[in-house]
Amino acid sequence: MGVKKIKIVHLYPKELSLYGDSGNILCIVKRLEERGYKTDVKNIGIGDTISDFDLMFIGGGQDKEMKIISRDLRKKGDMLRYAVNSGKTLLTICGGFQLLGEYYKTTDGDILHLSCALPFYTLGGEKRMIGNIVFKTPFGTAAGFENHSGKTYLNGLEPLGKVISGFGNNGEDETEGLLFKNTFCTYAHGPVLPKNPRLADEILKRATGDELSPIDDELENRCNLQLIHRFK
């Protein structure tokens, strides 16, 4: 039996990659390679066709970048809807999270129509929600850094976690992120995966379809605990 290759798609890497988000790709590749997998990372930008993948990553961006990709995003909408609803594995951060929803309404009342992969929406807010965030997930307590004015409302969908400290999706209902089938969404930058190895491995387990062999996470776990105790 040959070495298993995991196909990774990084969608809009030029436009959506704030606050170290691309470090999540480095973490994914490193944790897979330590377990003997081969990886193939493809950057998919404006005008490109989304190729087949085991794991898709979408990072964060500001309103300007969201407007830049909006027309191309609508062309990719059918593929994103299929991927999310068929159970493909995705990790999306901040703006990448928002673009899976139906629309983003700005504070001026303009509506930016998005992929409609899932029936949630985001409203632009006057207050910027910025700072460290700690939130409880089914895969352990996680820490990250958030910086967004958009307020996301899940419309009954399940959150990824419950806010312990910070703002989360909207600063009102204590929800953070979204978990739908194998789609993981969060407002946590940082990048989030190196800070939260249990969350990283849950995503990789779903992407590979395998039970993952253990690796030495002593330093990562110590970092995770220190961040949680410091910011909760």
Side-chain angles (χ1 to χ4, degrees):
M1 182 176 179
V3 177
K4 191 171 185 178
K5 179 183 288 186
I6 304 302
K7 293 174 285 188
I8 302 162
V9 160
H10 188 175
L11 185 60
Y12 301 128
K14 293 182 179 179
E15 294 80 11
L16 303 180
S17 189
L18 286 179
Y19 309 117
D21 284 344
S22 60
N24 289 303
I25 293 288
L26 298 177
C27 180
I28 287 166
V29 169
K30 177 66 173 176
R31 294 184 74 82
L32 286 171
E33 290 181 347
E34 283 194 28
R35 292 174 164 110
Y37 294 92
K38 289 185 177 181
T39 58
D40 178 20
V41 180
K42 289 189 177 180
N43 293 332
I44 303 295
I46 293 174
D48 297 334
T49 300
I50 298 176
S51 56
D52 185 34
F53 64 88
D54 300 299
L55 173 59
M56 174 184 283
F57 174 72
I58 315 174
Q62 300 180 13
D63 291 359
K64 176 183 176 181
E65 286 76 26
M66 294 287 281
K67 290 178 181 178
I68 289 172
I69 67 168
S70 61
R71 181 178 297 179
D72 184 76
L73 177 65
R74 288 193 289 275
K75 296 177 183 179
K76 292 178 168 65
D78 287 344
M79 179 59 187
L80 285 171
R81 286 189 289 273
Y82 170 77
V84 168
N85 288 281
S86 66
K88 300 285 273 186
T89 304
L90 289 84
L91 171 63
T92 69
I93 312 291
C94 196
F97 171 16
Q98 294 171 0
L99 68 77
L100 293 185
E102 294 180 338
Y103 63 87
Y104 182 104
K105 186 176 181 179
T106 70
T107 54
D108 295 328
D110 296 329
I111 295 179
L112 187 64
H113 295 283
L114 301 171
S115 72
C116 297
L118 289 169
F120 67 88
Y121 62 93
T122 302
L123 305 179
E126 298 290 347
K127 177 183 178 181
R128 192 150 200 92
M129 293 174 279
I130 181 169
N132 292 289
I133 181 172
V134 177
F135 54 102
K136 186 176 181 180
T137 82
F139 323 109
T141 302
F145 175 81
E146 59 183 331
N147 185 353
H148 57 104
S149 58
K151 302 167 72 174
T152 295
Y153 298 91
L154 298 184
N155 262 350
L157 295 168
E158 290 295 320
L160 173 61
K162 180 178 180 180
V163 173
I164 297 173
S165 67
F167 298 97
N169 288 339
N170 49 56
E172 300 166 9
D173 59 17
E174 297 184 337
T175 64
E176 160 52 22
L178 182 153
L179 179 59
F180 178 82
K181 294 187 177 179
N182 295 320
T183 292
F184 294 74
C185 307
T186 180
Y187 271 108
H189 298 280
V192 68
L193 293 189
K195 296 179 178 180
N196 302 286
R198 288 180 61 187
L199 177 61
D201 277 356
E202 180 64 28
I203 294 169
L204 296 182
K205 182 172 74 172
R206 298 189 188 204
T208 61
D210 298 333
E211 289 296 328
L212 300 177
S213 58
I215 56 178
D216 183 3
D217 275 332
E218 180 182 358
L219 291 178
E220 289 83 352
N221 287 327
R222 285 170 58 186
C223 175
N224 173 258
L225 288 173
Q226 288 179 5
L227 290 171
I228 291 168
H229 290 313
R230 182 176 179 182
F231 298 124
K232 72 178 181 180

